[in-house]
Amino acid sequence: KAGVTQTPRYLIKTRGQQVTLSCSPISGHRSVSWYQQTPGQGLQFLFEYFSETQRNKGNFPGRFSGRQFSNSRSEMNVSTLELGDSALYLCASSDTTRDSYRQGFFGPGTRLTVL
Amino acid sequence: AQKVTQAQTEISVVEKEDVTLDCVYETRDTTYYLFWYKQPPSGELVFLIRRNSFDEQNEISGRYSWNFQKSTSSFNFTITASQVVDSAVYFCALSGSNTGNQFYFGTGTSLTVIP
């Protein structure tokens, strides 16, 4: 099976712009979760989508949003970018058909730089 | 509340030495899942192991071993006969039974293996 793919891999934006990141999970996986990784805050949970519904949400402002499509692909959007949004954004794909298979397979990440 | 603590920020060892990475967790869930991930410089999080809270059996996989002790809320990771390729940042993570596939990560331990 192909792994988790994330596009684009690198992105440079300026303050005030918006950005959309994409994540394609492993085939058959219906759960996609997103994480922000920064040197100062570490790995922080943004949100999780399962069957096109947001199931959990982390403590991030409303500028961060996401969605999931019927094929399980997910996008996250950040509006009105701030310098502090510069980070590595990782998405994780999980098979939730059985709880014993709970495990996150991570993509390579999108490195966002806000100038 | 879910919390993972990795007190060791950086560790350096000489090749072939054994090294143990510590992980202490906090959770009120009776069922939970613990993970170790490896993050090489490329940025992708590589899954190493998942342990369910109801299974305290230790596990060995090649040079890697894990010691899960519920009594001390610890899930430590030992690399035997370390190699230069083991150099990476290692994250311990926790997922609760009622939080979907939301992972709570520790701050990571940066391991450098010196040839």
Side-chain angles (χ1 to χ4, degrees), chain A residues 20-23 34 65-69 73-77:
Chain A
T20 299
L21 312 182
S22 179
C23 172
W34 288 87
S65 63
R67 59 177 175 169
Q68 186 179 35
F69 302 94
R73 188 178 70 87
S74 177
E75 289 181 347
M76 68 162 281
N77 184 77

Side-chain angles (χ1 to χ4, degrees), chain A residues 9 31 33 35 37 43 45 48 55-58 88 90 92 94 96 99-108, chain B residues 31 33 35 37 39 42-47 50 52 91 95-107:
Chain A
R9 292 292 312 278
S31 167
S33 48
Y35 295 82
Q37 185 177 23
L43 277 155
F45 172 76
E48 181 200 4
R55 186 155 71 169
N56 285 302
K57 188 177 190 305
L88 179 66
L90 293 160
S94 298
T96 56
D99 202 55
S100 60
Y101 288 105
R102 182 191 296 242
Q103 176 179 325
F105 293 90
F106 282 80
Chain B
T31 300
Y33 306 83
F35 305 80
Y37 284 89
Q39 187 176 44
S42 60
E44 183 171 350
L45 283 170
V46 178
F47 169 82
R50 179 194 67 235
N52 306 330
F91 290 93
S95 178
S97 60
N98 298 316
T99 54
N101 281 291
Q102 178 177 350
F103 296 92
Y104 297 85
F105 284 91
T107 50

Side-chain angles (χ1 to χ4, degrees), chain A residues 3-69:
Chain A
V4 179
T5 58
Q6 290 186 246
T7 56
R9 292 292 312 278
Y10 302 91
L11 208 49
I12 299 176
K13 292 285 187 179
T14 56
R15 283 168 43 185
Q17 287 187 310
Q18 75 166 19
V19 67
T20 299
L21 312 182
S22 179
C23 172
S24 292
I26 292 171
S27 178
H29 287 193
R30 294 163 62 191
S31 167
V32 173
S33 48
W34 288 87
Y35 295 82
Q36 181 196 63
Q37 185 177 23
T38 60
Q41 299 298 319
L43 277 155
Q44 293 187 289
F45 172 76
L46 282 155
F47 29 65
E48 181 200 4
Y49 285 88
F50 177 75
S51 292
E52 303 179 62
T53 301
Q54 187 180 88
R55 186 155 71 169
N56 285 302
K57 188 177 190 305
N59 188 26
F60 277 82
R63 300 184 297 106
F64 292 82
S65 63
R67 59 177 175 169
Q68 186 179 35
F69 302 94

Side-chain angles (χ1 to χ4, degrees), chain B residues 9-40:
Chain B
T9 304
E10 296 181 2
I11 299 177
S12 291
V13 298
V14 176
E15 200 171 20
K16 298 184 181 176
E17 286 185 344
D18 299 347
V19 58
T20 295
L21 310 183
D22 298 333
C23 173
V24 175
Y25 62 92
E26 296 176 30
T27 180
R28 293 181 181 176
D29 290 355
T30 54
T31 300
Y32 51 89
Y33 306 83
L34 295 164
F35 305 80
W36 275 96
Y37 284 89
K38 174 182 180 180
Q39 187 176 44

